Amino acid sequence: MATCGRGCVPALRFCQRLNRLKTLDDDLMVTSMKRCLTMVDLALLGVGGMVGSGLYVLTGTVAKDTAGPAVVLSFLIAGIASLMAALCYAEFGARVPRTGSAYMFTYVSCGEIWAFLIGWNVVLEYMIGGAAVARAWSGYLDSMFNHTIQNYTENHIMKWNVPYIAHYPDLLAAGILVVATIFITFGVRVSSWLNHIFSAVSLVVILFILVFGFVLADPVNWSQKEGGFAPFGVSGVMAGTATCFYAFVGFDVIAASSEEAKNPQRAIPMATAISLCMAATAYILVSTVLTLMVPWHSLDPNSALSDAFFRRGYSWAGYIVAVGSICAMNTVLLSNLFSLPRIVYAMAEDGLFFAFFAKVNPVTKVPVNAILVFGLLMAVMALIFDLEALVQFLSIGTLLAYTFVAASVIVLRFQPEKEKTSSKANSTTSPNTNYNPEPSPEASESQIIAQDSGELKEYESFSDKLQLVEMQQTRERSAPGVLKARWEPYLGRLLGDFEPGEVVAFSVLAVMVSSVSLCAVFVFGSNQLQLPTWSFAVLIVVFGSTFLLSLVVIYAHEPHINTKTFQVPLVPFIPGASILMNVFLMLKLSPMTWIRFTVWVAAGLLVYFGYGIWHSKEGLRELQPKDMAARYVVLPSGSLVETVQSVQPNGHGDASALHTTPSPVRSAEEQQAKR
């Protein structure tokens, strides 16, 4: 601080305000919402969020235009890629059972402004996603009645010709959103049972498609006579994978519901895995049946399944497929309307968004204000915007959220543990206080020292204190964020002087930068940048090596082992692969999508700097008066010294607030020499 001069102090404090982390309560199970969702409820919510119109539309589109029958492989690879992101959400949902999903996970690990931007973009994604599904639902139903609704609206109500605006107001789409919004306000149990009904019908229709479809299957449709299994080659399979990846967007509704789960530590990971496996199985089997029933090149992209049954002489089956499609769209609609208000509620509860949205109805235990306002906004979007204009803006916010959640898993896994004391000893402070304020007068001959387990132990003799020093040094060598012992001969001189967790934080930043650079070379190197072959290869090697080396450096540090909740395996490699996949898909989006994304982020920054940063509860907590308490700590050198510890009433203990003061207690080394 002193080296940069006084002029740097305001800038540093401002950066600290932007990157402050959320302080979690001691008991994360206490909530103003109702914990009533079981693992089955959560799994069906996840299935409903993923198995929607994509099953009935996306399969035919990718099969005909991108991958052919190899769309089966595209869905398989996309499912594996989605699993990496889903595991990261499952760990956070079990470890931090609070509503808010990616916003909350980013807040507790990366910082306030990043969390706000993630939440701000996810809110837009849910609004656009819900409006787009309502538009597709309306169009699908209207097509069953020969577009009677559209013709009546254009001829008797209204019609306009404005760019990016629909040709006519879709009253049916807006109406279904208003009705769904009203049902969501009745409470989480009503929403869950509605989702159960629609999901059950949708699953029955999927079983009908599979059984009847395999009966009508003809292996000739995969033969060379019809173009073969993979007519577009490996590139077609990978291009199809990028498109099919979006079919699995929706599992985050499970993490968003963690504050209403009965047993989130067990239910969230299990429901995530079950729902993703069910969705992947449905997509793979339905695409297999579809491409075996009729030749892939003759599919109708708009209604592939209905058209396939019609061409095989079973037109009545098309009506069953239509019912399943509408029910599947209803589940996606409910998923969006269920998740969106809870993210808004979480942001408002933390003070980053308007407090009006933080109110929970005392009867239904849901954020009614957020549900009604954003449900109506979604209905307005569906009323006036065209489906194509809505879909073009989708995915970028979701992919960005996936990226930050994966990075947050790495940061939190190697983050040093914060020291806590037992709440039983905090008789003069609130239950959320982290530190014991002052030793009692009876402890004049002994000192109270905190243990890693969070319990307080009284040391009567000086020999006990020396044993504590040895135990503390052993713990420090195996603490999270510290270089592993077997890597010290190789990296000890280079990385040994850093504080625990610092190297990991810098390495995560290197992973993000190198993944963006590597994917940019892959996406733009040959066409837009027109790089020579040698420079293309050199850049791939440099950025790829940096990416892998950063992951290895992270792996060389001690992780935080938690046997009580689910943890992602093979960290940091699985989250690293998820980051790479998400960045690649983001760079494949159109330039217009990025321009719209930039405008929306700019609007979000205005909201944050105009309201959020001034009303943040973490910021208000920092302004609260602090109590001081004397306590003993063990320095890295092995000395035992008395310090003055800042105690913050709301559980916001900060290790950087330690100030050593002159103490009559000598260090362990001095007392040994005296003896």
Side-chain angles (χ1 to χ4, degrees), residues 324-338:
S325 176
I326 290 175
C327 288
M329 292 184 200
N330 284 337
T331 61
V332 178
L333 207 60
L334 289 172
S335 174
N336 281 272
L337 283 170
F338 187 88

Side-chain angles (χ1 to χ4, degrees), residues 258-280:
S258 58
E259 193 164 338
E260 292 156 292
K262 286 184 178 179
N263 183 12
Q265 285 76 18
R266 179 178 179 272
I268 297 296
M270 291 291 293
T272 302
I274 291 172
S275 61
L276 194 63
C277 289
M278 290 180 66

Side-chain angles (χ1 to χ4, degrees), residues 8-20 112-113 608-609 613-614:
C8 295
V9 175
L12 289 174
R13 287 179 178 172
F14 180 70
C15 291
Q16 289 174 352
R17 292 178 69 185
L18 296 181
N19 291 281
R20 54 197 171 201
E112 185 172 282
I113 189 170
Y608 175 74
F609 288 110
I613 194 172
W614 307 107

Side-chain angles (χ1 to χ4, degrees), residues 248-322:
F248 297 97
V249 171
F251 59 78
D252 52 336
V253 66
I254 300 175
S257 311
S258 58
E259 193 164 338
E260 292 156 292
K262 286 184 178 179
N263 183 12
Q265 285 76 18
R266 179 178 179 272
I268 297 296
M270 291 291 293
T272 302
I274 291 172
S275 61
L276 194 63
C277 289
M278 290 180 66
T281 302
Y283 277 113
I284 291 171
L285 292 180
V286 168
S287 58
T288 301
V289 165
L290 180 62
T291 52
L292 283 173
M293 286 175 62
V294 294
W296 61 270
H297 51 76
S298 63
L299 290 170
D300 181 2
N302 296 320
S303 55
L305 285 169
S306 300
D307 183 68
F309 282 111
F310 176 78
R311 293 175 58 191
R312 294 300 300 268
Y314 299 93
S315 57
W316 55 268
Y319 292 100
I320 298 178
V321 172

Side-chain angles (χ1 to χ4, degrees), residues 376-399:
L376 292 177
L377 286 176
M378 199 182 295
V380 171
M381 293 181 67
L383 181 70
I384 62 176
F385 286 107
D386 191 10
L387 177 61
E388 184 178 353
L390 290 170
V391 171
Q392 287 178 358
F393 203 84
L394 278 174
S395 303
I396 188 168
T398 302
L399 292 172

